[in-house]
Amino acid sequence: MVEMRCHDSESEEFTKPLLENWRQKTGLHNTPNFGTMTMNKNHDYDHLEDSEDDRPRHLNQWRLLCLTISMGGLQTIWTSIMSQGSPYLASLGMSPSLISLVWLSGPLSGMFIQPCIGVLSDSCTHPLGRRKTFIVFGTIATSVFMISLPWTENIVQLLFTCFDRDPAGRTAVASTQFIAAMIIWALKISLQPVQCGIRALIVDYCPPDQQHQASAYASRAIGIGSIFGYASGFVDVPSLFPFLGHTQFQGLCIICCAILDSTVVLQCMVIPEKRLNRAMGVQLRGELGAFSPMRQVITTMDTMPERVRKICIVQFFAWLGWFSFMYYITTYIGDLYRQESPEFLKFSNIDATRFGTVSMLSFATTAFITNLILPRFVKLETASSSNSLLSLHRGKSRAFNLTLPRAWVIAHILAGVSFFLLGLTKSRNMSILLVAVLGISWALTQWAPFALIGEELAKHRGESRRSASQLRKRDPEIEKTKSNSSDDNSQTALVLGLHNLAISAPQIVAAVGSSMLFWGLGMFGITGTDAIGWLLMFGVIPGFAAAWWAWAVEKQD
């Protein structure tokens, strides 16, 4: 007589064989102990990617926010330095030419440092993870340099006093200028691993059909950071927070560091990351050799996906125009205001450049509103989701037939026309309106390329994972570490570093080109506001070139 036994669903005796069978199918019995895989009702990504069929799960809004919020903290640093850095260096007695050399640290570090950081990140085996390692240590370095910068003069004066030297002498002033310049260079370098790590973590953690959404969240965070940075110039920080320092710049640097540190801590606590297999990391570094970073950068330039290469070309032309706008628009609008209202400025004793800052605040606000509204009307359809329920949820977007690459094309055309009109106008009100319109194009610049690159990299990662899975099914003797090597060998950070190179390189070209244009216009007696207007008008050429290449990306979609 066969004994019939009734087992409860939570009985260990009954569930153990089933769990063991499930582990054998998924390969979890060979995985490192990074934590258990759990699936909640929302199919959230609450586990680490270790199994053979391990794909990023659909993320809810909370995890999307935690994943991307550190981009806002990073943007507060960038914007505050750009808006307050030049006046601070000028207060130390630095000439405009020296200040221009100091600001070359941004594009130069983006060209050479971030691609190399990408190579190191892709092969990093630190327990924190490939991306978090660079995010955490980069944030620590950034905070140290950011806080040190506004106290440079105080530190130098204290050292000179301790060694019985004149703290106000020529040597002390020169030392202060030199140390401040070196701190800014170190600050710009320390920001590169933070930016590269955050962008790479977003791509790694999101499924292909949420890359657009994650990039939109990141753009919104950037918008909030930009608004904070530009609006900070109108807040008297020493009066509100006297314990943060005696100057506006001192208090602002501490606040920005607190924002960056808190957002990075939140991201690292909520978002898990898989640790790269140590053997795989050693293999990657061994294959690359002594000059691994530069060699891998050159190799990846030739082997990156064609669509990503076209996106980089779009960015190169686009930033030829954006450079002139970002660096000269405040001075340009301030001069227009000075020409229209000289008596008001003389009576009120207000610096005209503050009105240029107002225009940038409208620019950042328009970009933020665009990032809030536009994703609702853009058709989000990827190769991995075209046959899924996501396509049904986007029915309203289909009616507009507006894809993200197509919106990007329109944004570049709008930017080119706005640059041209901005150089022609002599009205401060019209210029502020055109700057606000350019915020729409800026929103797409901060969203579209990262979303498209993230989608492309996620798609290739999924294809590599499926190929490895099929290979394992055909030959079960293949070790799991070998079948997963394609995923571990991903070059997400390196590709994003090369994309950043495509953004930084045109800034160097534009800086040299701007100097040559100003020199040529000066020979014909065109200087000051008129010369900047000509420079802005020339932005129509790279704007339309970027639109043409963006259309090539659209046709490849």
Side-chain angles (χ1 to χ4, degrees):
M1 180 177 179
V2 180
E3 181 180 2
M4 302 295 294
R5 300 180 62 184
C6 179
H7 299 277
D8 183 73
S9 60
E10 297 182 358
S11 173
E12 180 181 0
E13 181 181 0
F14 181 68
T15 57
K16 185 174 181 180
L18 295 179
L19 290 174
E20 184 63 29
N21 185 36
W22 177 73
R23 289 195 182 100
Q24 291 177 359
K25 290 182 179 180
T26 57
L28 282 179
H29 58 285
N30 291 326
T31 59
N33 185 19
F34 294 124
T36 60
M37 175 181 290
T38 59
M39 296 280 292
N40 60 19
K41 295 181 180 180
N42 295 326
H43 303 286
D44 200 2
Y45 186 59
D46 289 334
H47 61 280
L48 300 180
E49 296 183 306
D50 287 325
S51 67
E52 182 182 64
D53 190 33
D54 197 17
R55 295 180 296 273
R57 306 299 179 184
H58 185 79
L59 307 182
N60 58 27
Q61 293 185 358
W62 165 247
R63 287 198 177 273
L64 282 172
L65 177 63
C66 294
L67 178 63
T68 58
I69 193 173
S70 54
M71 288 300 301
L74 185 64
Q75 186 64 20
T76 59
I77 300 290
W78 282 113
T79 309
S80 300
I81 287 296
M82 293 303 297
S83 61
Q84 303 289 330
S86 293
Y88 172 71
L89 294 178
S91 69
L92 298 179
M94 295 185 68
S95 63
S97 58
L98 290 177
I99 293 176
S100 299
L101 291 177
V102 172
W103 291 131
L104 283 177
S105 58
L108 285 176
S109 59
M111 283 182 61
F112 299 106
I113 301 298
Q114 190 164 136
C116 296
I117 290 294
V119 175
L120 298 175
S121 176
D122 288 331
S123 60
C124 177
T125 58
H126 194 276
L128 284 176
R130 288 192 286 182
R131 316 306 180 197
K132 288 184 181 179
T133 301
F134 290 88
I135 294 174
V136 171
F137 289 104
T139 299
I140 294 173
T142 297
S143 300
V144 171
F145 295 130
M146 189 70 175
I147 294 177
S148 302
L149 180 60
W151 273 274
T152 303
E153 188 174 13
N154 304 81
I155 296 173
V156 172
Q157 290 178 354
L158 178 62
L159 292 176
F160 270 70
T161 302
C162 292
F163 289 96
D164 295 328
R165 302 290 297 274
D166 184 9
R170 184 175 299 178
T171 304
V173 172
S175 300
T176 302
Q177 295 175 355
F178 176 78
I179 294 175
M182 291 300 99
I183 290 178
I184 289 182
W185 273 81
L187 176 63
K188 291 299 182 73
I189 293 174
S190 65
L191 286 169
Q192 301 305 319
V194 184
Q195 181 179 0
C196 182
I198 294 173
R199 287 291 186 183
L201 185 61
I202 293 174
V203 175
D204 290 344
Y205 196 70
C206 283
D209 57 0
Q210 279 195 295
Q211 291 293 331
H212 291 199
Q213 188 179 9
S215 294
Y217 269 74
S219 299
R220 293 163 187 168
I222 291 174
I224 295 175
S226 298
I227 293 173
F228 174 85
Y230 290 124
S232 61
F234 301 93
V235 178
D236 191 358
V237 177
S239 298
L240 293 176
F241 308 103
F243 55 90
L244 295 181
H246 300 291
T247 67
Q248 179 85 359
F249 195 37
Q250 289 175 349
L252 187 61
C253 285
I254 293 179
I255 293 174
C256 291
C257 288
I259 294 175
L260 175 62
D261 294 345
S262 59
T263 54
V264 167
V265 168
L266 178 62
Q267 182 190 51
C268 293
M269 290 181 61
V270 176
I271 305 301
E273 185 186 5
K274 173 185 175 181
R275 177 182 177 181
L276 179 65
N277 182 275
R278 185 173 296 275
M280 189 63 197
V282 173
Q283 179 183 349
L284 289 173
R285 290 191 292 269
E287 292 175 354
L288 298 177
F291 300 95
S292 57
M294 295 306 300
R295 183 181 303 174
Q296 187 65 12
V297 167
I298 296 174
T299 302
T300 307
M301 286 182 180
D302 296 329
T303 59
M304 70 168 57
E306 181 65 24
R307 196 178 190 213
V308 176
R309 183 179 290 107
K310 290 181 179 179
I311 293 172
C312 291
I313 296 175
V314 174
Q315 291 288 74
F316 181 87
F317 284 108
W319 276 90
L320 285 176
W322 282 115
F323 173 85
S324 303
F325 171 80
M326 299 298 292
Y327 277 83
Y328 293 102
I329 189 60
T330 302
T331 303
Y332 181 69
I333 295 182
D335 289 343
L336 291 180
Y337 203 98
R338 185 181 294 108
Q339 293 173 7
E340 287 193 16
S341 308
E343 296 298 329
F344 171 77
L345 292 175
K346 182 179 179 180
F347 175 77
S348 60
N349 197 27
I350 297 178
D351 186 2
T353 56
R354 291 189 62 181
F355 293 96
T357 306
V358 173
S359 67
M360 293 306 294
L361 182 59
S362 66
F363 170 80
T365 304
T366 304
F368 176 68
I369 295 174
T370 302
N371 280 321
L372 286 178
I373 298 176
L374 189 60
R376 300 178 180 271
F377 301 99
V378 174
K379 177 183 176 184
L380 305 181
E381 189 172 297
T382 65
S384 62
S385 63
S386 57
N387 297 324
S388 67
L389 292 178
L390 180 64
S391 300
L392 299 178
H393 293 317
R394 302 297 183 186
K396 294 182 179 180
S397 297
R398 289 170 178 246
F400 292 92
N401 198 26
L402 181 65
T403 62
L404 186 56
R406 192 167 300 173
W408 201 24
V409 173
I410 298 173
H412 289 304
I413 296 175
L414 180 62
V417 173
S418 299
F419 288 146
F420 185 78
L421 296 177
L422 192 58
L424 286 178
T425 184
K426 299 302 178 182
S427 170
R428 68 173 187 268
N429 294 330
M430 179 59 67
S431 63
I432 292 178
L433 177 61
L434 290 172
V435 169
V437 171
L438 278 167
I440 300 175
S441 299
W442 181 251
L444 268 299
T445 300
Q446 294 295 318
W447 173 30
F450 296 101
L452 295 173
I453 291 178
E455 175 190 340
E456 193 73 14
L457 294 178
K459 182 177 67 175
H460 279 267
R461 186 175 65 240
E463 292 174 354
S464 300
R465 187 184 290 111
R466 286 191 295 270
S467 299
S469 177
Q470 293 174 0
L471 180 63
R472 180 177 172 84
K473 289 179 180 179
R474 289 197 301 267
D475 191 354
E477 299 300 325
I478 296 179
E479 296 180 4
K480 177 176 173 54
T481 56
K482 294 181 179 179
S483 65
N484 280 344
S485 62
S486 59
D487 187 40
D488 289 338
N489 197 20
S490 64
Q491 296 177 327
T492 300
L494 175 54
V495 173
L496 291 173
L498 291 176
H499 171 254
N500 193 75
L501 187 150
I503 295 175
S504 302
Q507 297 183 48
I508 304 295
V509 176
V512 177
S514 299
S515 300
M516 295 178 62
L517 179 63
F518 287 148
W519 175 80
L521 292 173
M523 296 180 64
F524 295 95
I526 302 175
T527 59
T529 307
D530 294 333
I532 297 177
W534 275 94
L535 179 63
L536 292 173
M537 281 192 291
F538 274 103
V540 69
I541 300 175
F544 282 4
W548 191 88
W549 279 100
W551 181 249
V553 175
E554 158 69 15
K555 291 190 295 185
Q556 192 175 347
D557 192 9

